[in-house]
Amino acid sequence: MYAQLVKSEGLKSREEMSPQEQAFQDRVDNGEKIEPKDWMPEGYRKTLVRQIGQHAHSEIVGQLPEGNWITRAPTLERKAILLAKVQDEAGHGLYLYSAAETLGVSRDELLDKLHSGKMKYSSIFNYPTLNWADIGAVGWLVDGAAIMNQVPLQRTSYGPYSRAMIRICKEESFHQRQGYAIMMKMAQGTPEQKDMAQDALNRFWFPSLMMFGPSDKDSVHSAQSMAWKIKINTNDELRQKFVNETVPQAKYLGLTVPDEKLEWNEEKQGYDFSEPDWSEFFEVIKGNGPCNRERMDARVKAWEDGEWFRDGLNAYADKAANRRKAASVAAE
Amino acid sequence: MPEVETTADVVANDPIMTDAALRPAFFEWLCRLGDNTLILGHRTSEWCGHGPVLEEDIALANTALDLIGHTQMWLGLAGELEGEGRDADTLAYLRDVMKFRNILLVELPKGDMAVTMMREFLFDAYHHLLLTWLSSNSSSPRVAEIAAKALKEVSYHLDRASDIVVRLGDGTAESHRRMQDALELLWPYTGEMFKADEVDERLSDAGVAPDLAHLRGAWESNARDILEEATLTMPDPAGYAHLGGKQGRHTEHLGFILAEMQFLQRAYPGASW
């Protein structure tokens, strides 16, 4: 998931709701889509802005660790595929910022909040991509984990978000397959390539599990978001599903998942596995991950260096509008 | 069942490609096309994630992707023509600086968006004319076919680059200054596009490629129109021109591009990716 620790409002019981809120909740419960002009509780709007905004930021910050290998991709075909993939991620950012705009917040406002540290992006993008297999691991594990959450979100209650998710999921499943294809080549390649593949899995396994966020079984935020259908499954459910699907894929590659406690549990029909180190997760969220500083510096620099460019285009657009106006006045 | 066309058949279907006397020059010429798109694609891809606005990030990645696609076709054909078992990847990843045949213009650092977009415009205007000629006039059907495919994308590149040059040239005082500076920096590297050497002449004589001097007039007139609309001052077309890239004498920048691009192929020879 590209949104973690999204703050929601406390869950209201039906008796505490106003008649308008009750009617709104009924629509959500009936599976109706909420559209931008419909009435919605302020908490619903705010939570969605936080969640969609964080997701959008994750898509654009996520360009950086993968973009890191475009100029070093080992073949022309791999280079082309990676370019296409990273371009897709930027496109996802666009859909999501547009979905957020329907809730009354502009892309520039959201970017300001990202640049000033008031909004976050997924913790996973604060980890470095150190060898070529990392590009495989990002597609396989990171996009794989994102898909776990995004597939159910296609059914989310907010119409524009749901429609963005439908488009995004189509592309993400291609991304995951291309990641796995890289891992297959590496795992079946030379001993050095296999080492790279194992190294990538070792480094990305626990950070991928952290993507789902800490256990939320007692969280009131989660309960409200689930009632509003802007969160569909609990973090733990999704993490378990991810582990269950990913472990056999790692075995097929001949790679070892770096968890000594990993074991099939017949009774629950799923794997038992170690919790990630949540203290590391909270440090990364606080800004102390290996790449937090570089990622933010890169985004802020891109934005600041681009100011003259954006100003130039705006100035031209104003001049062109004035010229059109003058021409139409002259024609009258 | 459709008949499987072998590499030998494909070459045989293009009489120009079987002309042994022309082959060395033809190979050089195809490498020039493929190396231009490869190196410009590399420079363009350096923007990924760092563009001034999301739409530009997407457009730059898309342009780089197109150029890498063209590289696969041109260098693929070069390898096929050479007939020594080298494919597009071998040519891209296992030649050293002195074997690269791109013009100097495309290997210069990406600079700011003014340099990047001005270079794209100056190159695209040439690239568009070249591909237009090749797609309808080349005596080599294989060359014409690739040119026709690439032309669709390059038409879009030229439209976009021209539009941005006009907008930034006629935008703010700062954007105007940056565009004029970029134009002056890059202009001395444009002459190489039209400076024919023996390879160009042989290809032109064989009807595969145009007479470069011929393209120059149309290029200058297109550049003049756009630069004028952009309120920029066109430097002297007869001014000094930096040459050498097409013959393998490059700037210091290309070595670093290759060190980065070729790292994995060089560090792990023979591995499959």
Side-chain angles (χ1 to χ4, degrees):
Chain A
M1 180 46 170
Y2 288 154
Q4 297 157 325
L5 303 176
V6 173
K7 266 175 46 185
S8 179
E9 315 298 310
L11 181 60
K12 280 188 182 175
S13 67
R14 193 155 183 96
E15 295 72 45
E16 291 169 312
M17 290 180 193
S18 69
Q20 208 169 20
E21 285 170 334
Q22 283 182 8
F24 176 84
Q25 189 62 49
D26 290 343
R27 291 186 63 196
V28 171
D29 292 344
N30 290 336
E32 282 177 48
K33 290 280 178 261
I34 309 300
E35 295 299 337
K37 289 183 176 163
D38 296 348
W39 184 86
M40 61 187 78
E42 191 52 20
Y44 176 85
R45 196 189 67 81
K46 280 188 180 158
T47 308
L48 269 175
V49 167
R50 282 192 286 257
Q51 182 167 326
I52 298 173
Q54 195 182 110
H55 188 164
H57 296 331
S58 300
E59 298 282 358
I60 58 163
V61 176
Q63 288 180 278
L64 297 170
E66 292 186 286
N68 183 37
W69 278 90
I70 288 174
T71 55
R72 290 179 290 169
T75 67
L76 294 172
E77 190 185 7
R78 291 285 175 214
K79 193 189 287 288
I81 292 171
L82 185 56
L83 268 166
K85 177 185 190 278
V86 179
Q87 185 195 321
D88 282 350
E89 308 291 7
H92 297 173
L94 260 188
Y95 308 156
L96 289 160
Y97 285 124
S98 303
E101 278 175 349
T102 66
L103 294 159
V105 57
S106 72
R107 196 202 304 179
D108 285 1
E109 285 172 69
L110 290 174
L111 287 175
D112 271 350
K113 286 187 175 167
L114 172 68
H115 298 154
S116 64
K118 283 182 194 144
M119 282 184 86
K120 303 284 184 201
Y121 52 90
S122 177
S123 58
I124 193 72
F125 300 118
N126 291 312
Y127 291 87
T129 51
L130 301 178
N131 79 55
W132 172 251
D134 287 16
I135 297 306
V138 167
W140 171 37
L141 301 174
V142 174
D143 292 328
I147 289 169
M148 288 292 155
N149 217 305
Q150 291 169 7
V151 165
L153 277 175
Q154 293 177 102
R155 293 180 282 112
T156 186
S157 61
Y158 189 56
Y161 191 25
S162 158
R163 291 188 286 274
M165 280 302 156
I166 291 168
R167 294 185 66 171
I168 288 172
C169 282
K170 282 187 191 145
E171 293 176 344
E172 289 294 353
S173 56
F174 153 73
H175 296 170
Q176 194 198 14
R177 281 201 300 278
Q178 70 85 31
Y180 197 70
I182 291 176
M183 292 309 281
M184 295 242 285
K185 274 279 185 193
M186 301 297 281
Q188 294 162 4
T190 64
E192 290 95 340
Q193 285 176 303
K194 194 165 178 179
D195 282 351
M196 289 182 221
Q198 184 63 53
D199 179 54
L201 175 57
N202 291 349
R203 283 180 288 105
F204 276 96
W205 175 255
F206 283 112
S208 299
L209 297 189
M210 292 176 199
M211 285 176 68
F212 299 97
S215 179
D216 54 2
K217 51 185 180 288
D218 307 318
S219 161
V220 282
H221 298 314
S222 275
Q224 177 61 80
S225 285
M226 289 176 86
W228 278 333
K229 291 191 189 162
I230 53 187
K231 183 180 171 100
I232 311 285
N233 304 89
T234 69
N235 296 348
D236 291 325
E237 279 166 12
L238 293 169
R239 191 171 9 251
Q240 181 71 57
K241 190 162 186 282
F242 175 75
V243 171
N244 291 351
E245 287 191 17
T246 308
V247 169
Q249 292 167 357
K251 281 188 181 151
Y252 182 78
L253 292 171
L255 300 178
T256 309
V257 173
D259 179 359
E260 286 175 4
K261 291 190 185 147
L262 186 76
E263 200 176 359
W264 178 254
N265 181 329
E266 190 61 35
E267 199 180 325
K268 77 171 183 188
Q269 286 295 300
Y271 287 93
D272 291 332
F273 56 93
S274 302
E275 286 279 306
D277 176 355
W278 291 112
S279 64
E280 175 181 316
F281 172 78
F282 285 108
E283 285 300 330
V284 174
I285 293 285
K286 267 193 277 177
N288 296 322
C291 298
N292 291 62
R293 181 68 188 267
E294 282 164 82
R295 301 290 186 244
M296 280 314 297
D297 285 355
R299 287 310 314 168
V300 170
K301 183 173 190 307
W303 186 249
E304 288 175 354
D305 288 354
E307 191 176 359
W308 71 269
F309 179 94
R310 297 186 302 273
D311 289 349
L313 295 187
N314 286 332
Y316 180 87
D318 292 345
K319 284 187 204 178
N322 287 336
R323 280 195 286 260
R324 277 195 301 274
K325 214 191 241 169
S328 73
V329 169
E332 275 168 18
Chain B
M1 240 179 83
E3 275 181 50
V4 178
E5 215 176 1
T6 66
T7 302
D9 290 336
V10 172
V11 174
N13 288 340
D14 188 331
I16 295 289
M17 289 188 66
T18 56
D19 180 347
L22 187 64
R23 194 167 295 163
F26 200 173
F27 175 78
E28 285 277 308
W29 182 82
L30 287 168
C31 287
R32 290 176 182 182
L33 290 174
D35 291 346
N36 278 343
T37 54
L38 175 59
I39 302 302
L40 185 59
H42 182 100
R43 284 300 192 207
T44 309
S45 77
E46 290 174 344
W47 279 102
C48 193
H50 305 278
V53 66
L54 197 43
E55 285 81 351
E56 290 305 317
D57 234 316
I58 295 173
L60 288 163
N62 204 354
T63 304
L65 178 57
D66 291 343
L67 292 168
I68 299 305
H70 303 168
T71 305
Q72 288 174 292
M73 296 190 282
W74 291 125
L75 293 184
L77 188 62
E80 216 179 280
L81 176 85
E82 186 189 43
E84 289 177 14
R86 293 202 285 182
D87 60 10
D89 281 336
T90 320
L91 289 170
Y93 287 92
L94 297 177
R95 281 177 302 154
D96 201 348
V97 167
M98 60 282 191
K99 297 290 184 193
F100 268 74
R101 296 293 180 254
N102 58 280
I103 55 173
L104 303 178
L105 176 71
V106 298
E107 69 197 46
L108 300 176
K110 75 181 198 308
D112 61 5
M113 277 295 280
V115 172
T116 287
M117 292 314 300
M118 182 59 79
R119 166 166 56 193
E120 239 208 85
F121 166 67
L122 296 170
F123 181 78
D124 289 346
Y126 152 81
H127 202 195
H128 189 266
L129 283 169
L130 177 65
L131 295 174
T132 303
W133 192 95
L134 295 174
S135 63
S136 43
N137 302 311
S138 180
S139 57
S140 162
R142 297 292 304 283
V143 166
E145 184 193 356
I146 295 174
K149 278 188 198 162
L151 181 59
K152 285 182 199 150
E153 292 164 343
V154 170
S155 302
Y156 169 73
H157 299 173
L158 177 60
D159 278 353
R160 174 174 172 272
S162 307
D163 185 55
I164 289 196
V165 165
V166 168
R167 286 167 187 268
L168 293 177
D170 190 17
T172 60
E174 185 182 4
S175 71
H176 177 87
R177 175 184 61 74
R178 285 176 184 260
M179 293 307 277
Q180 186 67 41
D181 287 351
L183 179 59
E184 279 158 30
L185 171 78
L186 299 169
W187 189 260
Y189 294 90
T190 56
E192 189 178 12
M193 299 190 285
F194 305 102
K195 177 76 180 163
D197 65 358
E198 205 192 337
V199 168
D200 293 311
E201 280 161 12
R202 294 210 56 191
L203 271 288
S204 169
D205 290 345
V208 176
D211 176 353
L212 289 177
H214 247 67
L215 294 188
R216 177 150 204 157
W219 178 83
E220 265 178 35
S221 118
N222 180 24
R224 185 171 288 114
D225 288 349
I226 295 294
L227 295 174
E228 197 180 294
E229 198 184 340
T231 70
L232 296 169
T233 308
M234 183 158 126
D236 177 10
Y240 184 76
H242 291 288
L243 304 173
K246 294 205 285 192
Q247 294 79 27
R249 291 187 313 280
H250 290 277
T251 66
E252 289 179 347
H253 304 296
L254 185 62
F256 290 94
I257 293 179
L258 299 189
E260 189 173 340
M261 183 175 85
Q262 299 179 338
F263 159 68
L264 285 169
Q265 290 282 356
R266 299 290 191 183
Y268 303 100
S272 164
W273 305 90

